[in-house]
Amino acid sequence: MEYTKEVEIMCPVAKGCNHGPAPIPEEGKWVQAKEIKDISGMTHGIGWCAPQQGCCKLSLNVKDGIIQEALVETLGCSGMTHSAAMASEILPGKTILEALNTDLVCDAINTAMRELFLQIVYGRTQSAFSEGGLTIGAGLEDLGKGLRSQVGTMYGTLAKGPRYLEMAEGYVTKVALDENNEIIGYQFVKIGPMMEAIKKGVDAKEALEKNTGTYGRFADAKKYIDPRHE
């Protein structure tokens, strides 16, 4: 260790109080985190790329500083899906410090990792007050039974008005309009459960019918339109 001459000639003064870092909540305990291995928690982070043409929601389950589970969801950029595929392979097994300094291929995923890191090390996790934390596999609960990201896609123009394309419930197939041509409901298909049914041998038409639902006053409509073609 090298010191400047100014420091070398100083007389030593004893250090007084040293109570350590403030404890943070982690999986139902208060922890004085001093090393990476002291960090545990399940939480989420949102990231975006420099041109802001796509975004990422990253969910990590960390135990004793090591990432045990990663859920990578992306939106808006076709190339980002391939980056997410690599990130899902890269992240598990790394410490959160390694992950913070690992090139996760896509800038949006890197940004999500940065935001998530801040939540974890400050004790702002989803599992902060859950004794024992969340089990590995808890990230899949965000996707529901169909194991599919919840995506909302809406489009509108001044000339032609709004078009609902995809809701949390699923892929919108029809939009219901009243006598004033205002939207009063929609019909949707739950893509995830439909595909599961088809994989199990259910006829595609039957699977489609069983996984089609409606929202709002769909039955009272004066007119139905296909939001993608009308």
Side-chain angles (χ1 to χ4, degrees), residues 2-229:
E2 292 186 19
Y3 296 94
T4 64
K5 186 177 180 181
E6 289 79 6
V7 173
E8 282 184 340
I9 64 174
M10 288 178 179
C11 64
V13 175
K15 187 174 181 179
C17 61
N18 182 21
H19 49 66
I24 59 174
E26 287 185 25
E27 302 189 337
K29 296 181 295 184
W30 289 96
V31 178
Q32 281 190 307
K34 298 179 181 179
E35 300 178 45
I36 290 296
K37 65 181 179 62
D38 296 330
I39 301 292
S40 294
M42 163 76 181
T43 196
H44 320 276
I46 301 295
W48 54 95
C49 58
Q52 298 192 33
Q53 68 187 51
C55 58
C56 168
K57 176 193 169 193
L58 178 62
S59 304
L60 298 183
N61 200 345
V62 178
K63 303 288 186 184
D64 301 322
I66 297 173
I67 297 167
Q68 299 291 339
E69 174 187 16
L71 171 64
V72 192
E73 300 174 85
T74 65
L75 179 70
C77 173
S78 57
M80 198 191 299
T81 59
H82 296 76
S83 300
M86 287 182 269
S88 68
E89 191 173 347
I90 292 168
L91 285 167
K94 286 189 178 291
T95 68
I96 55 171
L97 186 59
E98 284 180 298
L100 187 66
N101 289 287
T102 296
D103 182 5
L104 298 175
V105 188
C106 165
D107 198 29
I109 304 175
N110 287 317
T111 304
M113 183 65 223
R114 180 194 71 197
E115 299 300 310
L116 189 151
F117 179 88
L118 292 174
Q119 292 184 52
I120 292 177
V121 296
Y122 283 115
R124 270 53 170 188
T125 65
Q126 181 181 329
S127 57
F129 299 102
S130 302
E131 189 173 352
L134 297 178
T135 56
I136 310 304
L140 292 179
E141 293 178 9
D142 282 2
L143 301 180
K145 292 180 180 178
L147 295 184
R148 193 167 185 270
S149 297
Q150 297 183 66
V151 178
T153 307
M154 315 299 155
Y155 178 72
T157 59
L158 179 61
K160 301 296 183 178
R163 297 293 188 276
Y164 298 173
L165 303 175
E166 187 138 1
M167 293 283 191
E169 298 96 330
Y171 180 94
V172 178
T173 53
K174 289 181 183 179
V175 173
L177 307 179
D178 64 10
E179 59 275 6
N180 299 317
N181 280 340
E182 294 180 6
I183 296 174
I184 58 172
Y186 53 87
Q187 182 186 70
F188 59 87
V189 177
K190 293 181 282 187
I191 300 293
M194 183 185 77
M195 293 304 298
E196 287 297 312
I198 292 172
K199 284 193 289 185
K200 291 175 181 176
V202 177
D203 178 74
K205 185 177 180 182
E206 182 184 348
L208 175 64
E209 291 172 353
K210 284 186 175 180
N211 288 286
T212 296
T214 61
Y215 182 84
R217 294 184 291 118
F218 187 81
D220 300 333
K222 298 296 181 183
K223 181 182 180 181
Y224 300 102
I225 63 169
D226 181 332
R228 290 171 175 79
H229 301 291

